[in-house]
Amino acid sequence: MEMKKYIPADVPIGKREEFLKNFLEITNNTGRLMLFAGDQKIEHLNNDFYGDGIAEDDNSPEHLFKIAANAKISVFATQFGLITRYANLYPDVPYLIKLNSKTNIIPYSAKDPYSKQMVDMKDVIEFKNDMGINIKGVGYTVYLGSEYEREMLSEAAKIVNAAHKNAMIAVLWMYPKGKFIKDEHDPHLIAGAAGVATCLGADFAKVKVPLKNGEFKPELLKEAVQAAGNTGILCEGGKKIDEEAFLKELYEQIHIGGARGNGTGRNIHQRELNEAIKMANAIYAITCENKTLEDALKILRSQK
Amino acid sequence: MEMKKYIPADVPIGKREEFLKNFLEITNNTGRLMLFAGDQKIEHLNNDFYGDGIAEDDNSPEHLFKIAANAKISVFATQFGLITRYANLYPDVPYLIKLNSKTNIIPYSAKDPYSKQMVDMKDVIEFKNDMGINIKGVGYTVYLGSEYEREMLSEAAKIVNAAHKNAMIAVLWMYPKGKFIKDEHDPHLIAGAAGVATCLGADFAKVKVPLKNGEFKPELLKEAVQAAGNTGILCEGGKKIDEEAFLKELYEQIHIGGARGNGTGRNIHQRELNEAIKMANAIYAITCENKTLEDALKILRSQK
Amino acid sequence: MEMKKYIPADVPIGKREEFLKNFLEITNNTGRLMLFAGDQKIEHLNNDFYGDGIAEDDNSPEHLFKIAANAKISVFATQFGLITRYANLYPDVPYLIKLNSKTNIIPYSAKDPYSKQMVDMKDVIEFKNDMGINIKGVGYTVYLGSEYEREMLSEAAKIVNAAHKNAMIAVLWMYPKGKFIKDEHDPHLIAGAAGVATCLGADFAKVKVPLKNGEFKPELLKEAVQAAGNTGILCEGGKKIDEEAFLKELYEQIHIGGARGNGTGRNIHQRELNEAIKMANAIYAITCENKTLEDALKILRSQK
Amino acid sequence: MEMKKYIPADVPIGKREEFLKNFLEITNNTGRLMLFAGDQKIEHLNNDFYGDGIAEDDNSPEHLFKIAANAKISVFATQFGLITRYANLYPDVPYLIKLNSKTNIIPYSAKDPYSKQMVDMKDVIEFKNDMGINIKGVGYTVYLGSEYEREMLSEAAKIVNAAHKNAMIAVLWMYPKGKFIKDEHDPHLIAGAAGVATCLGADFAKVKVPLKNGEFKPELLKEAVQAAGNTGILCEGGKKIDEEAFLKELYEQIHIGGARGNGTGRNIHQRELNEAIKMANAIYAITCENKTLEDALKILRSQK
Amino acid sequence: MEMKKYIPADVPIGKREEFLKNFLEITNNTGRLMLFAGDQKIEHLNNDFYGDGIAEDDNSPEHLFKIAANAKISVFATQFGLITRYANLYPDVPYLIKLNSKTNIIPYSAKDPYSKQMVDMKDVIEFKNDMGINIKGVGYTVYLGSEYEREMLSEAAKIVNAAHKNAMIAVLWMYPKGKFIKDEHDPHLIAGAAGVATCLGADFAKVKVPLKNGEFKPELLKEAVQAAGNTGILCEGGKKIDEEAFLKELYEQIHIGGARGNGTGRNIHQRELNEAIKMANAIYAITCENKTLEDALKILRSQK
């Protein structure tokens, strides 16, 4: 079967069936990932959850779990601790544990970032196996070009390997940052970052949207998609924008640019529950159900 | 039973009954915590225990244990080492081990703080189990925005998980600090800090009192209380103030702001023993016995 | 029995008898400690052992062992390595292993100090148990206010706990140091440092001599003695001074100030062997034999 | 047998036969190594794989594996993670895991480099043994003269020893770097770096090409070759240059300079697949088949 | 037997006979050590092995092993990795593994030195026991006064203890270095450094030659020799000088100054093989065979 090419060689032979089942389930047999990103409570403090243009629902952390439990998603990515607070109430959500996070209090211009692993993989495995939590994978951010790059490369490589040994997928957030990064949206730099994710063994790499003269064109993704080989490229969702524009861009990222999914947070959870669920379902339709943009817009505008 | 929602998912299935019993006992079935804070001997050296306006009793460390043993409290929070000095004499006190502390000698303006874990969780567990000490939980301070934030996020996440695996509660002191913090009493920043505690899996988060134009209003707590979800918010007690004002503020923090308790130190232990006990009992009455402000004031002014 | 109050709660129940026997033996049933300090070969290089006013004997490291073997002392405190060089010849000396040390080459004004643990506790325990060395306790210096304070707080807390688990006593040298210390002899600061030792679980805390306007009065010790609770305060001996003045100060530190012993090095070992033994015996008489100053002076001036 | 001299003494006696078999196989019984270097996706991001003068094939990471699988090589050196992505498809390639890598975002002039070990040797061994991957050796870069030199010396020494204990060869990239390096092509400095590799126990040392007045002469290698003793010297391939000049230089490095192989990346993989294979075969012919320059050029220009 | 005093107390009782046998064998029953120092390939890169005034033989690392195998020496001190390259050919050489080394690229004036342990003691023990290599001891350099002093004190103390637990001797190179060292040849400073070695438990301490007004007199060693107690003092050999002057100085260091040996490298290995062997034998004659200077000179000038 063609999807077997996505089984990395560090998955033990006795776990390959489990890995493949896991991979096919979360990608709905497409090899594409709809990652619902919910790690912003540490990354951006309360800015993404409370304020103008944000639904009141969003200030409760349970909002994220309600969306994850009721919408179609591949995985809900958030911190270990947050999962522990609500997983007993939402046991069926497919979780992806984001293993590192930092606040945005210190600006990048003042200090190169190092987002450190917060929970050991042995504790993740124990949580998954002994408490029976539905954990599908793990995630980690690497800030390339930071003076602490080496710590993150080293943590990332070990995390990916440990995930694979336990039949879990590994997603790396690959973000060039620091004093020597001139343009973090440069398509060539993004392709480089994507290639690093492949060299770290990642199943998926979440990257910045490539821009040329400040504008996105799906063709700009191609260098990165190719450089990443069989590691799938996910574009980050970024700030909340117009729904239709968002879905069109997503469709083109996948069908023109070759992206293998999307990591979206604010564009989903800043809406009230029903709207958030519909937005997630529309994104999932394009990403994992091979639906057209029109199909997706219908889902978005449906009454239920 | 409704209180079950407070059992985090990283408590092993075989320990959930013990965790819940522990949780109900210290919160007197209310889900609210009266934390008697006694970690200032490292944090503030001898400033809080000796000098003008401080009862002479307070210079003896045993004073803290006498209060903890004779007053109604949820837990007495202090360092591991101090507990070892007196726990044989005061075996029944419900202890919460504050795992990190730093002195106030280096000002925050000179150097970002990093308060490091002093005792390993395996030693805490051994102390609890083998020596039979009545340890209900552990605590740890996270200075968000410090250049050492990552070390504290990482230590905190592991500590919370280890506590839960051993049926203990975990309380995080969440204090934004460092060069890039403009106003540590900003309600939105405090809400962010509270949300981080939730993402670290904490059962309770102790935060600064939110102020607007330098003044506290209980409504200012609401953003943080909501952002923390099922992690309970405790306001710090701060410097000793007028008793009646203190209790009124506490009452409103709980009944208007939605706080789930209070962490109070100096406002209790800087009084002579009997007064300290009455003050603690009054605070406990409001926090864990659903008493009115008037009831609490009666306790405070009683003759015994 | 009253001395039981000195058994800390982290001594395992099965080891409490051994701890108490150990404690009573080294304190001669008084609860007071005569610590013969011999860690200066690292701390001060050869300055304290060779030069004007120093007996020639003192340049040989064996001099310290001869004193320790022939005088009355509670414990001889020095580094692990030095003990290994002579313990086969002096098996009966009660040793206290000073676990950290630094040279005085870098001045405090140039760099905050961090004196790091040199030997692991498991190696100390192995040395004690397998080689049958008479080790009564361990010691460690904490430089409060140093930018490395956190490392020392953390090492100290673990060392004290490990000592207690093995029925050994733990002595902490508590010295405020660094750019933000204005007066390391300030009685209030010393009381703070003493309180930190208690919070670290120490059995004894060695502190600087408190001074007011540059002068010592025994009353100045009281704040620290009280703040330390059941952790005993030892004043450091400091540079060699007139014998009679030294013994008088010691007597008053104990009987007026409430100190529970003394840590003395140079005032003993810089004398030739017989004089050193008599000085040690005189100090021991005051500290652990409840002798008067006159009795102690007689010992000092005896012919043998 | 003469090749036995290449078995280092830290290969366990029971593994010496396996080590020797491994060594002879990859060196084709010559003791010389043709290392196909493919670690540039981290080291140089996407610069070496996409752009002017680079075959389009090269932007796909699988290109490297296709070359490695179809050309004659001693080992294909790349990162652990990249190997995991394709080793199931290319199981027979002889791999050498490059254990550390860094990006080129921070220039050497701004900060001394430290390329940190990314994967533990126990995970490499597990990957080799349990998953049956054909791993022949490991590699690591040491930046001598960097302020982090000590970390790399320490990691390198342990890696070499762990490799030998598991019958694998160890190759060290020895590159002087940092503020105090005036000329990284100085033959005497390169000889020093080569000698360090020997002191770290390496089987092969990859060094910069020695230059005098900016020009390479094979004689310039002799000091380094001799200083390295039984550790073989490999010259780095560097940027893509004219094929014939490349092969001539290689031939002279080996037959005049005494090099024991070559580490070549860009000069191979920047060509389209067939050309890349022929170039690799030509290099292998000179290095491991004792062929003449003319023979090698014939291979290069053959039609198949 | 008098030599028993050299058995440190951390040698396990069951290993004392082995330690003593080892000690007597390498010191030829004299308690004095002739250490052939061959760690310069890392410390000085290729400067000591190639160039004017250096025999051509010396550029091959095997030269060191040929000397060690054919001359009389106590131990040959060099790095673990170098030993692994040649120990199969030279199995009978008595090795001492120098566990740390640094290059001389960064000048001491630019950065305080930290030479870090490169190989773990458990790997050394395994190498010694499982591969049957004739390892007599280990060595380590401590740079006192460096801002990294604490790391080296800590590594050194653990290394000495681990060596003794395995019946090996431990030699410490004690070199004051860094911004605050005014004169590294000051006899009083050297005595301090020697005393530190004793406090770290070393069997021998290699120190700088003490000078007064730039000149060596053997009497200048006495303070250090005495301060080191039963830790033997070795003077470093330094740069190659006139043979007769060298041997005279050595004789006086031992018979007037009280040194217990010498660590000599360049003065031996920079000569061609036969001359190097004769020089080593002459040094050994004075150090470990109680020969006169005249006897030693005869050995040096013999035809064989």
Side-chain angles (χ1 to χ4, degrees), chain E residues 243-256:
Chain E
E243 299 163 347
E244 193 165 337
F246 183 90
L247 293 172
K248 183 168 181 291
E249 193 171 304
L250 172 63
Y251 187 88
E252 292 178 353
Q253 283 172 0
I254 291 172
H255 291 286
I256 299 175

Side-chain angles (χ1 to χ4, degrees), chain E residues 61-107:
Chain E
E62 195 169 355
H63 182 58
L64 299 170
F65 290 82
K66 286 177 182 164
I67 299 167
N70 292 291
K72 291 177 172 176
I73 59 170
S74 290
V75 289
F76 168 38
T78 193
Q79 292 90 6
F80 181 90
L82 186 56
I83 295 173
T84 68
R85 300 304 310 166
Y86 291 96
N88 285 342
L89 297 177
Y90 300 92
D92 298 329
V93 168
Y95 293 107
L96 183 139
I97 297 183
K98 180 77 194 308
L99 287 162
N100 64 341
S101 282
K102 51 174 280 304
T103 72
N104 57 359
I105 296 172
I106 300 180

Side-chain angles (χ1 to χ4, degrees), chain A residues 156-171:
Chain A
K158 288 177 184 72
I159 284 168
V160 172
N161 182 230
H164 289 165
K165 285 197 226 176
N166 289 281
M168 293 189 286
I169 67 155
V171 179

Side-chain angles (χ1 to χ4, degrees), chain E residues 132-169:
Chain E
I133 306 299
N134 185 26
I135 300 171
K136 298 300 193 186
V138 293
Y140 183 89
T141 301
V142 177
Y143 293 113
L144 293 178
S146 161
E147 64 167 310
Y148 305 101
E149 175 192 284
R150 62 177 171 268
E151 305 298 339
M152 291 174 277
L153 288 177
S154 176
E155 293 191 350
K158 288 178 184 70
I159 284 168
V160 171
N161 183 229
H164 290 165
K165 286 198 227 175
N166 289 280
M168 293 190 287
I169 67 155

Side-chain angles (χ1 to χ4, degrees), chain B residues 41 46-47 84-85 103 123, chain C residues 9 149 165 188 223 227 230:
Chain B
K41 284 177 82 78
N46 217 33
N47 298 346
T84 67
R85 300 304 311 165
T103 72
D123 291 322
Chain C
E149 174 192 285
K165 286 198 226 176
H188 186 56
E223 185 189 341
N230 61 16

Side-chain angles (χ1 to χ4, degrees), chain B residues 38-39 41-42 45-47 50 56-57 59-62 78-89 101-107 110-120 122-123 126-127 130-133 148, chain C residues 4-13 16 112 144-147 149-151 153-155 157-158 161 164-165 176-177 180-181 188-189 191-193 195-196 198-203 222-224 226-231:
Chain B
D39 62 342
K41 284 177 82 78
I42 295 185
L45 295 173
N46 217 33
N47 298 346
Y50 185 88
E56 281 190 22
D57 290 7
N59 198 33
S60 163
E62 195 169 353
T78 193
Q79 291 90 7
F80 181 90
L82 186 56
I83 295 173
T84 67
R85 300 304 311 165
Y86 290 97
N88 285 341
L89 298 177
S101 281
K102 50 175 278 306
T103 72
N104 58 358
I105 297 172
I106 300 180
K111 195 166 167 58
D112 279 4
Y114 170 21
S115 184
K116 188 181 163 92
Q117 183 174 1
M118 294 188 291
V119 182
D120 292 338
K122 72 170 182 42
D123 291 322
E126 192 178 322
F127 186 50
D130 297 4
M131 281 74 153
I133 307 298
Y148 305 101
Chain C
K4 275 192 178 168
K5 74 178 175 195
Y6 292 125
I7 307 176
D10 54 346
V11 175
I13 290 154
R16 291 189 179 175
D112 278 4
L144 293 177
S146 161
E147 64 167 309
E149 174 192 285
R150 61 177 170 268
E151 305 298 338
L153 288 177
S154 176
E155 293 191 349
K158 288 178 184 72
N161 183 229
H164 289 165
K165 286 198 226 176
K177 285 279 179 200
F180 294 97
I181 299 299
H188 186 56
L189 178 61
V196 173
T198 309
C199 292
L200 293 167
D203 301 292
K222 286 184 176 175
E223 185 189 341
Q226 197 177 18
N230 61 16
T231 296

Side-chain angles (χ1 to χ4, degrees), chain D residues 100-119:
Chain D
N100 64 341
S101 281
K102 51 175 278 305
T103 73
N104 57 359
I105 297 171
I106 300 180
Y108 292 117
S109 59
K111 196 167 166 57
D112 278 5
Y114 169 23
S115 184
K116 188 181 163 91
Q117 183 173 1
M118 294 189 290
V119 182

Side-chain angles (χ1 to χ4, degrees), chain E residues 10-132:
Chain E
D10 55 345
V11 175
I13 290 154
K15 297 234 171 183
R16 291 189 179 176
E17 200 174 333
E18 182 186 349
F19 180 90
L20 185 59
K21 189 167 162 288
N22 189 15
F23 184 85
L24 293 176
E25 187 182 319
I26 59 179
T27 66
N28 199 29
N29 299 302
T30 64
R32 291 200 293 264
L33 194 77
M34 188 289 204
L35 182 147
F36 173 38
D39 62 342
Q40 300 92 350
K41 284 177 82 79
I42 295 185
E43 299 287 350
H44 304 150
L45 295 173
N46 217 33
N47 298 346
D48 291 0
F49 299 93
Y50 186 87
D52 285 348
I54 300 172
E56 281 191 22
D57 290 7
D58 204 19
N59 198 33
S60 164
E62 195 169 355
H63 182 58
L64 299 170
F65 290 82
K66 286 177 182 164
I67 299 167
N70 292 291
K72 291 177 172 176
I73 59 170
S74 290
V75 289
F76 168 38
T78 193
Q79 292 90 6
F80 181 90
L82 186 56
I83 295 173
T84 68
R85 300 304 310 166
Y86 291 96
N88 285 342
L89 297 177
Y90 300 92
D92 298 329
V93 168
Y95 293 107
L96 183 139
I97 297 183
K98 180 77 194 308
L99 287 162
N100 64 341
S101 282
K102 51 174 280 304
T103 72
N104 57 359
I105 296 172
I106 300 180
Y108 293 117
S109 58
K111 197 168 164 57
D112 278 5
Y114 169 22
S115 184
K116 189 182 162 90
Q117 182 174 2
M118 294 189 290
V119 182
D120 291 337
M121 282 299 292
K122 71 170 181 45
D123 292 321
V124 169
I125 308 305
E126 191 178 323
F127 186 50
K128 177 178 187 286
N129 293 344
D130 297 4
M131 282 75 153

